[in-house]
Amino acid sequence: MISRLSCVAQATGLRKLHQCGSLAGLSASDAVTTLTREVKPPQMAGRKVCPRFLDIKGCFDNVNPFTICGMLRAKGVNQYPVFSTKYFRCGRLCQLLYQGSPKVFAPVSVGTPQGSPVSPLLFDIYVFRLEYEIPGGLSLSNVEDFGLTVSSASYRRNIQILHKQYARLKARGARPGIGFSVPKTELIHWRTNRERGPISKAPVPLDESVFKPKAEVSWLAYWFSRSVSTTPHFVKRLAKAQAAFVAVKRLSPAGIGLPPFLCHRLASSLLFPILSYSADAFPPTVPMRRKISAFWHKVQRWTTTCFMSTRTDILAMEPCLPPLELLLAYKGRLADLRILCSPPEIKTATGRLPPSVQPPSIYRHSPDHRALSASNVGSRLPLRWIQPGPPSKDRAHLPLDALPHSMLFLLGPDGLSPLPVTCQHLLCQFYPEPPRAAPIPN
Protein backbone atom coordinates (compact mmCIF):
# COMPACT_ATOMS: atom_id res chain seq x y z
CA MET A 1 0.00 0.00 0.00
CA ILE A 2 2.84 2.40 0.84
CA SER A 3 4.63 1.96 -2.49
CA ARG A 4 1.43 2.30 -4.52
CA LEU A 5 0.16 5.29 -2.55
CA SER A 6 3.56 7.05 -2.63
CA CYS A 7 3.77 6.70 -6.44
CA VAL A 8 0.25 8.11 -6.78
CA ALA A 9 1.01 11.04 -4.45
CA GLN A 10 4.25 11.82 -6.28
CA ALA A 11 2.61 11.71 -9.72
CA THR A 12 -0.43 13.80 -8.77
CA GLY A 13 1.47 16.43 -6.75
CA LEU A 14 -0.08 15.46 -3.40
CA ARG A 15 3.39 15.11 -1.93
CA LYS A 16 6.03 17.82 -2.24
CA LEU A 17 9.77 17.41 -2.66
CA HIS A 18 10.59 19.04 0.68
CA GLN A 19 8.47 16.62 2.72
CA CYS A 20 10.83 14.12 4.36
CA GLY A 21 10.37 11.26 6.78
CA SER A 22 7.45 9.46 5.11
CA LEU A 23 9.17 7.23 2.55
CA ALA A 24 11.96 4.69 2.62
CA GLY A 25 15.27 6.47 2.08
CA LEU A 26 13.98 9.82 3.35
CA SER A 27 14.81 10.58 6.96
CA ALA A 28 15.56 13.45 9.29
CA SER A 29 19.16 13.38 8.07
CA ASP A 30 18.03 14.36 4.57
CA ALA A 31 16.07 17.35 5.89
CA VAL A 32 18.98 18.55 8.04
CA THR A 33 21.51 18.00 5.24
CA THR A 34 19.41 20.06 2.86
CA LEU A 35 18.93 22.80 5.46
CA THR A 36 22.59 23.13 6.44
CA ARG A 37 23.81 23.09 2.84
CA GLU A 38 21.14 25.40 1.47
CA VAL A 39 22.03 28.28 3.81
CA LYS A 40 25.58 28.52 2.43
CA PRO A 41 24.75 30.37 -0.84
CA PRO A 42 22.92 33.25 0.93
CA GLN A 43 25.71 33.53 3.50
CA MET A 44 28.34 33.58 0.75
CA ALA A 45 26.39 36.44 -0.83
CA GLY A 46 26.52 38.42 2.44
CA ARG A 47 22.87 37.91 3.37
CA LYS A 48 21.47 37.22 6.84
CA VAL A 49 19.73 33.88 7.38
CA CYS A 50 17.07 33.18 10.01
CA PRO A 51 15.22 29.86 10.51
CA ARG A 52 12.09 29.31 12.59
CA PHE A 53 11.00 25.83 13.59
CA LEU A 54 7.32 25.00 14.11
CA ASP A 55 5.44 21.95 15.35
CA ILE A 56 1.97 20.89 14.17
CA LYS A 57 -0.50 20.48 16.99
CA GLY A 58 -2.08 17.04 17.27
CA CYS A 59 -0.20 15.58 14.28
CA PHE A 60 -1.84 12.22 13.33
CA ASP A 61 -4.95 12.89 15.44
CA ASN A 62 -6.09 15.63 13.03
CA VAL A 63 -5.94 13.54 9.87
CA ASN A 64 -9.34 12.97 8.31
CA PRO A 65 -9.22 9.96 5.95
CA PHE A 66 -12.39 11.09 4.14
CA THR A 67 -10.65 14.36 3.25
CA ILE A 68 -7.68 12.41 1.86
CA CYS A 69 -10.06 10.27 -0.21
CA GLY A 70 -11.59 13.46 -1.58
CA MET A 71 -8.12 14.75 -2.52
CA LEU A 72 -7.35 11.53 -4.36
CA ARG A 73 -10.66 11.58 -6.24
CA ALA A 74 -10.13 15.23 -7.22
CA LYS A 75 -6.81 14.27 -8.81
CA GLY A 76 -8.46 11.52 -10.87
CA VAL A 77 -6.85 8.60 -9.02
CA ASN A 78 -8.33 5.15 -9.64
CA GLN A 79 -10.49 3.51 -7.01
CA TYR A 80 -7.94 1.07 -5.57
CA PRO A 81 -5.82 3.62 -3.60
CA VAL A 82 -8.98 5.49 -2.60
CA PHE A 83 -10.68 2.44 -1.09
CA SER A 84 -7.41 1.28 0.50
CA THR A 85 -7.14 4.62 2.29
CA LYS A 86 -10.82 4.59 3.24
CA TYR A 87 -10.78 1.12 4.79
CA PHE A 88 -7.42 1.64 6.48
CA ARG A 89 -9.13 3.37 9.39
CA CYS A 90 -12.33 1.31 9.50
CA GLY A 91 -13.03 -0.65 12.67
CA ARG A 92 -10.92 1.54 15.00
CA LEU A 93 -12.17 1.68 18.59
CA CYS A 94 -10.89 3.44 21.69
CA GLN A 95 -11.49 3.16 25.42
CA LEU A 96 -10.71 5.44 28.37
CA LEU A 97 -8.57 3.78 31.03
CA TYR A 98 -8.75 5.07 34.60
CA GLN A 99 -9.76 3.70 37.95
CA GLY A 100 -13.40 2.68 37.78
CA SER A 101 -13.73 3.45 34.03
CA PRO A 102 -16.48 1.60 32.14
CA LYS A 103 -15.25 -1.01 29.71
CA VAL A 104 -17.05 0.53 26.77
CA PHE A 105 -15.41 1.04 23.37
CA ALA A 106 -16.31 3.99 21.16
CA PRO A 107 -15.64 4.27 17.40
CA VAL A 108 -12.90 6.62 16.18
CA SER A 109 -13.69 8.58 13.03
CA VAL A 110 -10.71 11.01 12.89
CA GLY A 111 -7.00 10.34 12.99
CA THR A 112 -4.62 7.60 11.91
CA PRO A 113 -3.00 5.00 14.19
CA GLN A 114 0.39 6.03 15.49
CA GLY A 115 3.15 3.54 14.83
CA SER A 116 1.79 2.42 11.48
CA PRO A 117 4.17 2.91 8.51
CA VAL A 118 1.26 4.23 6.43
CA SER A 119 0.37 7.06 8.85
CA PRO A 120 3.32 9.39 8.01
CA LEU A 121 2.55 9.18 4.29
CA LEU A 122 -1.15 9.90 4.87
CA PHE A 123 -0.17 12.84 7.05
CA ASP A 124 2.11 14.26 4.34
CA ILE A 125 -0.73 14.03 1.82
CA TYR A 126 -3.07 15.73 4.29
CA VAL A 127 -0.73 18.71 4.85
CA PHE A 128 0.73 19.02 1.35
CA ARG A 129 -0.84 22.49 1.01
CA LEU A 130 1.54 23.80 3.67
CA GLU A 131 4.55 23.27 1.39
CA TYR A 132 5.27 26.16 -0.98
CA GLU A 133 8.24 28.02 -2.40
CA ILE A 134 9.60 30.94 -0.37
CA PRO A 135 11.50 33.58 -2.43
CA GLY A 136 15.06 33.61 -1.13
CA GLY A 137 14.20 31.02 1.53
CA LEU A 138 13.40 27.39 2.15
CA SER A 139 10.47 25.44 3.54
CA LEU A 140 11.25 21.96 4.92
CA SER A 141 9.21 19.46 6.89
CA ASN A 142 9.68 16.07 8.49
CA VAL A 143 6.19 14.75 9.22
CA GLU A 144 4.87 17.19 11.89
CA ASP A 145 8.06 19.30 12.24
CA PHE A 146 8.24 22.35 9.98
CA GLY A 147 11.16 24.66 9.33
CA LEU A 148 10.88 28.07 7.65
CA THR A 149 14.18 29.65 6.60
CA VAL A 150 14.43 33.12 5.04
CA SER A 151 17.32 35.34 4.01
CA SER A 152 17.61 39.07 3.38
CA ALA A 153 19.96 42.00 3.94
CA SER A 154 19.17 42.34 7.68
CA TYR A 155 17.80 40.34 10.58
CA ARG A 156 14.90 42.72 11.14
CA ARG A 157 13.82 42.24 7.56
CA ASN A 158 13.94 38.48 8.17
CA ILE A 159 11.62 38.91 11.16
CA GLN A 160 9.08 40.71 8.97
CA ILE A 161 9.30 38.00 6.32
CA LEU A 162 8.90 35.23 8.91
CA HIS A 163 5.84 36.95 10.40
CA LYS A 164 4.30 37.25 6.93
CA GLN A 165 5.11 33.66 5.97
CA TYR A 166 3.65 32.32 9.21
CA ALA A 167 0.40 34.16 8.56
CA ARG A 168 0.33 32.63 5.09
CA LEU A 169 1.11 29.19 6.48
CA LYS A 170 -1.59 29.51 9.12
CA ALA A 171 -4.16 30.52 6.49
CA ARG A 172 -3.26 27.49 4.37
CA GLY A 173 -3.71 25.17 7.36
CA ALA A 174 -7.03 26.64 8.47
CA ARG A 175 -9.03 24.84 5.78
CA PRO A 176 -8.02 21.25 6.72
CA GLY A 177 -8.03 22.17 10.43
CA ILE A 178 -4.26 22.22 10.99
CA GLY A 179 -2.83 24.34 13.78
CA PHE A 180 0.63 24.92 15.22
CA SER A 181 1.84 24.52 18.79
CA VAL A 182 2.96 28.03 19.72
CA PRO A 183 5.01 27.13 22.87
CA LYS A 184 7.21 24.79 20.81
CA THR A 185 8.27 27.51 18.38
CA GLU A 186 12.02 28.22 18.26
CA LEU A 187 13.99 30.96 16.53
CA ILE A 188 17.70 31.50 15.91
CA HIS A 189 19.75 34.02 13.93
CA TRP A 190 22.49 32.28 11.97
CA ARG A 191 25.78 34.01 11.35
CA THR A 192 29.19 33.12 9.97
CA ASN A 193 32.43 32.93 11.90
CA ARG A 194 33.71 36.02 10.09
CA GLU A 195 30.95 38.30 11.36
CA ARG A 196 32.21 40.53 14.14
CA GLY A 197 29.16 42.71 14.68
CA PRO A 198 26.84 42.51 17.70
CA ILE A 199 24.56 39.49 17.92
CA SER A 200 21.02 40.33 16.87
CA LYS A 201 18.37 39.90 19.57
CA ALA A 202 15.35 40.88 17.48
CA PRO A 203 12.34 38.79 18.58
CA VAL A 204 9.54 37.48 16.39
CA PRO A 205 5.82 37.87 17.24
CA LEU A 206 3.59 34.83 16.96
CA ASP A 207 -0.10 34.75 17.96
CA GLU A 208 0.15 37.40 20.70
CA SER A 209 3.43 35.88 21.91
CA VAL A 210 6.99 37.10 21.46
CA PHE A 211 9.84 34.64 20.96
CA LYS A 212 13.42 35.75 21.45
CA PRO A 213 16.22 34.14 19.43
CA LYS A 214 18.18 31.42 21.21
CA ALA A 215 21.86 30.58 21.13
CA GLU A 216 21.06 26.91 20.44
CA VAL A 217 17.90 25.29 19.11
CA SER A 218 16.90 21.68 18.57
CA TRP A 219 15.13 20.42 15.45
CA LEU A 220 14.69 16.71 14.66
CA ALA A 221 17.09 15.89 17.54
CA TYR A 222 19.81 18.00 15.87
CA TRP A 223 21.23 20.91 17.81
CA PHE A 224 22.00 24.08 15.85
CA SER A 225 24.14 26.96 17.07
CA ARG A 226 24.42 30.50 15.70
CA SER A 227 27.45 29.58 13.59
CA VAL A 228 25.97 26.18 12.58
CA SER A 229 28.78 24.50 14.50
CA THR A 230 28.57 20.79 15.31
CA THR A 231 30.26 21.06 18.71
CA PRO A 232 27.11 21.80 20.81
CA HIS A 233 25.33 18.85 19.20
CA PHE A 234 28.09 16.33 19.89
CA VAL A 235 28.57 17.62 23.43
CA LYS A 236 24.99 16.59 24.15
CA ARG A 237 25.37 13.29 22.26
CA LEU A 238 28.51 12.51 24.26
CA ALA A 239 26.70 13.23 27.53
CA LYS A 240 23.85 10.89 26.56
CA ALA A 241 26.29 8.16 25.52
CA GLN A 242 28.18 8.48 28.81
CA ALA A 243 24.94 8.21 30.79
CA ALA A 244 23.95 5.10 28.84
CA PHE A 245 27.44 3.64 29.34
CA VAL A 246 27.18 4.07 33.11
CA ALA A 247 23.88 2.17 33.09
CA VAL A 248 25.25 -0.57 30.84
CA LYS A 249 28.38 -1.12 32.93
CA ARG A 250 26.22 -2.21 35.85
CA LEU A 251 25.18 -5.25 33.81
CA SER A 252 28.76 -6.46 33.42
CA PRO A 253 31.06 -5.72 36.37
CA ALA A 254 34.71 -6.73 36.20
CA GLY A 255 35.07 -10.53 36.29
CA ILE A 256 31.33 -11.32 36.33
CA GLY A 257 28.22 -10.40 34.38
CA LEU A 258 27.81 -10.44 30.62
CA PRO A 259 30.27 -12.29 28.37
CA PRO A 260 32.46 -10.21 26.02
CA PHE A 261 30.43 -10.96 22.88
CA LEU A 262 27.29 -9.53 24.51
CA CYS A 263 29.27 -6.47 25.61
CA HIS A 264 30.40 -6.08 22.00
CA ARG A 265 26.79 -6.24 20.86
CA LEU A 266 25.74 -3.55 23.35
CA ALA A 267 28.62 -1.30 22.30
CA SER A 268 27.87 -1.59 18.58
CA SER A 269 24.07 -1.54 18.71
CA LEU A 270 23.40 0.81 21.65
CA LEU A 271 26.33 3.08 22.47
CA PHE A 272 27.60 3.79 18.97
CA PRO A 273 24.18 4.87 17.53
CA ILE A 274 23.70 7.24 20.47
CA LEU A 275 27.18 8.69 20.06
CA SER A 276 27.23 8.96 16.27
CA TYR A 277 23.69 10.22 15.68
CA SER A 278 23.80 12.86 12.91
CA ALA A 279 27.49 12.22 12.13
CA ASP A 280 26.52 11.73 8.48
CA ALA A 281 25.10 15.27 8.22
CA PHE A 282 27.06 16.91 11.08
CA PRO A 283 30.74 15.89 10.90
CA PRO A 284 32.37 16.62 14.29
CA THR A 285 35.31 18.98 14.58
CA VAL A 286 38.84 17.75 15.32
CA PRO A 287 38.78 18.68 19.07
CA MET A 288 35.38 17.02 19.41
CA ARG A 289 36.63 13.90 17.64
CA ARG A 290 39.35 13.57 20.25
CA LYS A 291 36.83 13.69 23.09
CA ILE A 292 34.46 11.16 21.62
CA SER A 293 37.41 8.94 20.62
CA ALA A 294 38.59 8.95 24.25
CA PHE A 295 35.12 7.78 25.30
CA TRP A 296 35.16 5.10 22.60
CA HIS A 297 38.48 3.83 23.96
CA LYS A 298 36.80 3.33 27.34
CA VAL A 299 34.07 1.32 25.64
CA GLN A 300 36.66 -0.84 23.89
CA ARG A 301 38.47 -1.52 27.18
CA TRP A 302 35.21 -2.38 28.93
CA THR A 303 34.21 -4.85 26.21
CA THR A 304 37.14 -7.20 26.89
CA THR A 305 38.29 -5.85 30.30
CA CYS A 306 41.62 -4.60 28.91
CA PHE A 307 44.03 -2.73 31.15
CA MET A 308 44.13 1.04 31.13
CA SER A 309 47.75 0.84 30.00
CA THR A 310 46.80 -0.94 26.76
CA ARG A 311 47.98 0.99 23.72
CA THR A 312 45.20 2.66 21.75
CA ASP A 313 46.64 1.62 18.38
CA ILE A 314 46.06 -2.07 19.19
CA LEU A 315 42.97 -1.57 21.33
CA ALA A 316 40.52 -2.14 18.47
CA MET A 317 41.83 -5.63 17.72
CA GLU A 318 40.76 -7.39 20.89
CA PRO A 319 37.08 -6.26 21.09
CA CYS A 320 36.65 -6.22 17.26
CA LEU A 321 35.41 -2.62 17.42
CA PRO A 322 36.93 -0.40 14.70
CA PRO A 323 38.33 3.01 15.66
CA LEU A 324 35.75 5.76 15.81
CA GLU A 325 37.49 7.74 13.08
CA LEU A 326 36.89 4.93 10.60
CA LEU A 327 33.30 4.37 11.70
CA LEU A 328 32.42 8.05 11.34
CA ALA A 329 34.12 8.28 7.95
CA TYR A 330 32.30 5.14 6.81
CA LYS A 331 28.96 6.53 7.95
CA GLY A 332 29.60 9.82 6.18
CA ARG A 333 30.59 8.08 2.94
CA LEU A 334 27.37 6.06 2.94
CA ALA A 335 25.36 9.26 3.35
CA ASP A 336 27.26 10.89 0.46
CA LEU A 337 26.65 7.87 -1.75
CA ARG A 338 22.94 8.02 -0.96
CA ILE A 339 22.88 11.64 -2.10
CA LEU A 340 24.81 10.96 -5.30
CA CYS A 341 22.91 7.81 -6.32
CA SER A 342 19.34 8.67 -5.27
CA PRO A 343 16.64 9.93 -7.64
CA PRO A 344 16.64 13.75 -7.54
CA GLU A 345 12.84 13.79 -7.89
CA ILE A 346 12.54 12.22 -4.42
CA LYS A 347 15.62 13.32 -2.44
CA THR A 348 15.84 17.09 -2.15
CA ALA A 349 19.61 17.18 -1.60
CA THR A 350 20.24 15.24 -4.83
CA GLY A 351 18.17 17.77 -6.75
CA ARG A 352 20.64 20.48 -5.72
CA LEU A 353 23.81 18.86 -7.06
CA PRO A 354 25.83 20.88 -9.60
CA PRO A 355 24.86 20.42 -13.26
CA SER A 356 28.12 18.61 -14.05
CA VAL A 357 27.11 15.67 -11.85
CA GLN A 358 24.92 13.12 -13.59
CA PRO A 359 22.76 11.21 -11.07
CA PRO A 360 20.11 8.70 -12.25
CA SER A 361 18.06 11.63 -13.64
CA ILE A 362 18.76 15.07 -15.09
CA TYR A 363 16.07 16.63 -12.89
CA ARG A 364 17.20 19.65 -10.87
CA HIS A 365 15.27 21.50 -8.20
CA SER A 366 14.08 24.97 -9.15
CA PRO A 367 14.50 27.67 -7.97
CA ASP A 368 18.08 27.05 -6.86
CA HIS A 369 19.78 29.41 -4.41
CA ARG A 370 23.13 28.69 -6.04
CA ALA A 371 22.77 31.88 -8.10
CA LEU A 372 22.84 33.99 -4.91
CA SER A 373 26.52 33.20 -4.39
CA ALA A 374 27.36 34.59 -7.83
CA SER A 375 26.92 38.13 -6.48
CA ASN A 376 29.81 37.57 -4.07
CA VAL A 377 33.07 39.06 -5.30
CA GLY A 378 35.15 36.13 -4.05
CA SER A 379 32.90 33.41 -5.42
CA ARG A 380 34.13 30.97 -8.03
CA LEU A 381 32.50 28.82 -10.64
CA PRO A 382 31.11 25.46 -9.45
CA LEU A 383 33.56 22.60 -9.48
CA ARG A 384 33.38 20.04 -12.27
CA TRP A 385 33.39 16.63 -10.69
CA ILE A 386 34.69 14.92 -13.86
CA GLN A 387 38.04 16.69 -13.48
CA PRO A 388 40.52 14.73 -11.35
CA GLY A 389 42.24 16.21 -8.35
CA PRO A 390 41.06 17.55 -5.00
CA PRO A 391 39.43 20.99 -4.69
CA SER A 392 41.78 23.93 -4.30
CA LYS A 393 41.97 25.20 -0.73
CA ASP A 394 42.18 28.86 -1.71
CA ARG A 395 38.77 28.80 -3.40
CA ALA A 396 35.46 28.70 -1.58
CA HIS A 397 32.91 26.29 -3.00
CA LEU A 398 29.48 25.13 -1.99
CA PRO A 399 29.35 21.87 0.00
CA LEU A 400 27.32 20.11 -2.69
CA ASP A 401 29.86 21.18 -5.32
CA ALA A 402 32.81 19.71 -3.42
CA LEU A 403 30.94 16.54 -2.44
CA PRO A 404 31.46 14.66 -5.75
CA HIS A 405 35.20 15.41 -5.61
CA SER A 406 35.50 13.73 -2.22
CA MET A 407 33.79 10.60 -3.59
CA LEU A 408 35.89 10.14 -6.74
CA PHE A 409 38.11 7.49 -5.20
CA LEU A 410 35.04 5.38 -4.38
CA LEU A 411 33.58 5.57 -7.89
CA GLY A 412 34.35 3.23 -10.74
CA PRO A 413 35.14 4.17 -14.35
CA ASP A 414 31.52 3.63 -15.43
CA GLY A 415 30.19 6.67 -13.57
CA LEU A 416 28.29 6.42 -10.31
CA SER A 417 29.06 2.78 -9.54
CA PRO A 418 30.16 2.64 -5.88
CA LEU A 419 32.66 0.00 -4.93
CA PRO A 420 31.78 -2.37 -2.07
CA VAL A 421 33.19 -0.83 1.10
CA THR A 422 32.51 -2.42 4.51
CA CYS A 423 33.68 -1.85 8.06
CA GLN A 424 35.93 -4.91 7.73
CA HIS A 425 37.54 -3.39 4.64
CA LEU A 426 38.15 -0.11 6.47
CA LEU A 427 39.60 -1.94 9.47
CA CYS A 428 41.97 -3.87 7.20
CA GLN A 429 43.11 -0.61 5.63
CA PHE A 430 43.83 0.92 9.02
CA TYR A 431 45.44 -2.25 10.40
CA PRO A 432 47.07 -4.06 7.47
CA GLU A 433 47.74 -7.76 7.75
CA PRO A 434 51.30 -8.45 8.95
CA PRO A 435 53.62 -9.96 6.35
CA ARG A 436 53.75 -13.71 6.39
CA ALA A 437 56.95 -15.67 6.62
CA ALA A 438 58.32 -17.10 3.41
CA PRO A 439 57.72 -20.86 2.98
CA ILE A 440 60.61 -23.13 3.76
CA PRO A 441 62.10 -24.53 0.54
CA ASN A 442 62.23 -28.27 0.12
Side-chain angles (χ1 to χ4, degrees):
M1 179 180 177
I2 297 178
S3 59
R4 186 184 296 268
L5 189 60
S6 61
C7 294
V8 170
Q10 192 76 20
T12 57
L14 292 177
R15 185 191 168 276
K16 302 297 183 179
L17 179 65
H18 292 161
Q19 290 180 306
C20 304
S22 59
L23 298 178
L26 290 177
S27 60
S29 176
D30 299 314
V32 174
T33 301
T34 304
L35 177 62
T36 54
R37 297 184 178 183
E38 190 68 10
V39 301
K40 294 298 181 181
Q43 288 183 342
M44 292 176 63
R47 300 164 68 96
K48 311 298 182 182
V49 183
C50 294
R52 181 166 66 176
F53 303 112
L54 306 169
D55 187 85
I56 294 181
K57 186 186 303 182
C59 191
F60 298 149
D61 297 336
N62 295 328
V63 177
N64 191 343
F66 295 102
T67 304
I68 298 179
C69 294
M71 295 178 181
L72 295 176
R73 290 193 184 97
K75 294 293 183 178
V77 181
N78 55 31
Q79 296 297 326
Y80 181 81
V82 176
F83 283 108
S84 299
T85 305
K86 179 180 179 181
Y87 291 108
F88 173 71
R89 52 154 297 277
C90 290
R92 293 186 60 208
L93 303 174
C94 69
Q95 176 189 2
L96 298 178
L97 295 179
Y98 57 90
Q99 187 175 4
S101 61
K103 296 182 179 180
V104 178
F105 289 88
V108 179
S109 59
V110 180
T112 57
Q114 298 187 13
S116 173
V118 187
S119 297
L121 182 57
L122 294 178
F123 183 79
D124 280 351
I125 296 176
Y126 191 71
V127 301
F128 86 101
R129 293 189 180 92
L130 301 182
E131 292 289 342
Y132 59 91
E133 297 291 343
I134 300 178
L138 179 66
S139 174
L140 277 175
S141 67
N142 187 78
V143 193
E144 77 275 11
D145 297 310
F146 270 74
L148 298 177
T149 305
V150 298
S151 63
S152 66
S154 64
Y155 290 111
R156 292 195 175 274
R157 176 57 182 166
N158 287 340
I159 295 299
Q160 298 175 359
I161 298 176
L162 284 175
H163 184 67
K164 181 179 179 180
Q165 294 299 331
Y166 174 75
R168 182 181 178 184
L169 193 66
K170 186 177 179 181
R172 282 172 168 261
R175 182 179 178 182
I178 301 172
F180 294 94
S181 180
V182 177
K184 296 182 180 180
T185 303
E186 292 184 319
L187 172 70
I188 189 172
H189 295 319
W190 277 343
R191 48 189 288 143
T192 61
N193 295 327
R194 297 182 179 181
E195 296 185 26
R196 296 293 181 265
I199 299 176
S200 176
K201 298 182 179 179
V204 56
L206 181 64
D207 291 346
E208 301 180 356
S209 301
V210 178
F211 292 89
K212 297 182 179 180
K214 298 181 179 179
E216 298 176 2
V217 296
S218 175
W219 189 58
L220 304 178
Y222 290 76
W223 285 89
F224 299 93
S225 61
R226 291 192 180 99
S227 60
V228 202
S229 175
T230 61
T231 301
H233 174 79
F234 280 99
V235 167
K236 294 177 174 58
R237 301 309 305 181
L238 180 58
K240 290 185 177 181
Q242 290 174 344
F245 185 49
V246 171
V248 167
K249 283 196 302 184
R250 299 174 184 173
L251 303 176
S252 180
I256 58 176
L258 298 177
F261 76 93
L262 290 182
C263 296
H264 173 273
R265 183 170 298 181
L266 285 175
S268 58
S269 61
L270 176 64
L271 299 179
F272 177 71
I274 296 176
L275 185 63
S276 64
Y277 180 76
S278 79
D280 48 357
F282 271 13
T285 58
V286 175
M288 200 65 218
R289 285 176 181 268
R290 296 172 183 172
K291 293 182 181 180
I292 59 181
S293 296
F295 168 75
W296 190 247
H297 292 160
K298 295 180 181 179
V299 176
Q300 291 174 334
R301 290 188 176 95
W302 166 77
T303 303
T304 53
T305 62
C306 293
F307 294 102
M308 292 297 296
S309 58
T310 306
R311 294 174 51 184
T312 57
D313 54 350
I314 64 174
L315 192 59
M317 289 296 188
E318 187 69 19
C320 296
L321 292 174
L324 196 63
E325 292 286 342
L326 295 182
L327 291 175
L328 295 181
Y330 174 72
K331 190 173 183 179
R333 293 302 182 189
L334 290 182
D336 295 341
L337 285 175
R338 287 196 299 268
I339 293 178
L340 291 175
C341 303
S342 298
E345 298 89 352
I346 298 178
K347 192 178 287 292
T348 174
T350 309
R352 288 175 166 82
L353 289 172
S356 57
V357 182
Q358 298 180 2
S361 174
I362 60 175
Y363 173 83
R364 286 296 182 274
H365 177 70
S366 179
D368 192 357
H369 297 160
R370 185 186 306 273
L372 293 176
S373 62
S375 61
N376 190 8
V377 179
S379 63
R380 303 289 183 179
L381 294 176
L383 290 171
R384 294 186 60 85
W385 76 285
I386 57 177
Q387 297 178 355
S392 178
K393 294 183 179 180
D394 57 345
R395 298 170 62 181
H397 302 282
L398 300 180
L400 285 178
D401 292 344
L403 171 63
H405 276 260
S406 63
M407 298 298 298
L408 278 178
F409 71 98
L410 289 179
L411 302 179
D414 299 332
L416 292 178
S417 56
L419 301 179
V421 181
T422 60
C423 288
Q424 183 179 3
H425 175 65
L426 294 173
L427 185 59
C428 293
Q429 285 186 347
F430 195 82
Y431 298 104
E433 186 178 358
R436 298 181 180 179
I440 301 176
N442 297 330

